[in-house]
Amino acid sequence: MPTPDELVRDMCRSWSDPDPDRISAFFAEDAVYHNIPMEPLIGRPAIRDFIAGFLTTFDAIDFDIHHQVANGNIVMNTRTDTLRGAGRTTPLPVMGFFEVAGDTITTWHDYFDMATINRAFGLEG
């Protein structure tokens, strides 16, 4: 069984060649995924559907983890997520918080600037 640190790193790497089923399999059935500027997603099916919807706009995300610390079942990282799609890349500075139980992620909170996402989706000038 992977350590919490390894599990989070593996999940982050999986976004570079994304498959919604493969990515959502990292999460517990009742996991919470919360991009803090947005409403939380609760449950593996909701997380899977969000990922599938996200991939209609972007091809992939490359997670560049700058620092990651783990203490027991808690993992925190700072990273730059580079969103790839429509012939462009959008770097997004992120701080992530994860809780792990066994071999699944039970909680994932990401903190980032929503204005960067809006620009990436063409919602702001």
Side-chain angles (χ1 to χ4, degrees):
M1 178 168 37
T3 66
D5 181 86
E6 293 166 337
L7 181 70
V8 169
R9 288 179 189 278
D10 289 346
M11 189 278 301
C12 289
R13 271 191 297 274
S14 72
W15 285 82
S16 288
D17 181 22
D19 172 84
D21 293 322
R22 184 170 40 92
I23 296 171
S24 63
F26 282 96
F27 295 89
E29 278 299 322
D30 60 349
V32 175
Y33 173 27
H34 192 183
N35 287 310
I36 295 305
M38 301 179 234
E39 291 298 314
L41 302 165
I42 301 171
R44 186 183 296 157
I47 293 168
R48 189 238 173 260
D49 291 348
F50 172 81
I51 295 166
F54 187 83
L55 293 174
T56 64
T57 303
F58 292 98
D59 299 327
I61 305 175
D62 297 319
F63 287 63
D64 181 15
I65 298 172
H66 307 295
H67 302 283
Q68 182 159 301
V69 295
N71 185 5
N73 70 325
I74 302 295
V75 179
M76 297 173 69
N77 61 28
T78 59
R79 47 182 217 270
T80 300
D81 295 357
T82 301
L83 292 71
R84 292 187 281 124
R88 66 179 179 199
T89 60
T90 303
L92 178 67
V94 178
M95 189 280 166
F97 170 88
F98 304 83
E99 289 182 89
V100 174
D103 61 353
T104 60
I105 297 167
T106 58
T107 302
W108 179 12
H109 294 175
D110 268 352
Y111 299 82
F112 55 86
D113 180 12
M114 192 64 190
T116 303
I117 295 292
N118 287 341
R119 281 191 300 276
F121 279 96
L123 301 174
E124 287 185 352

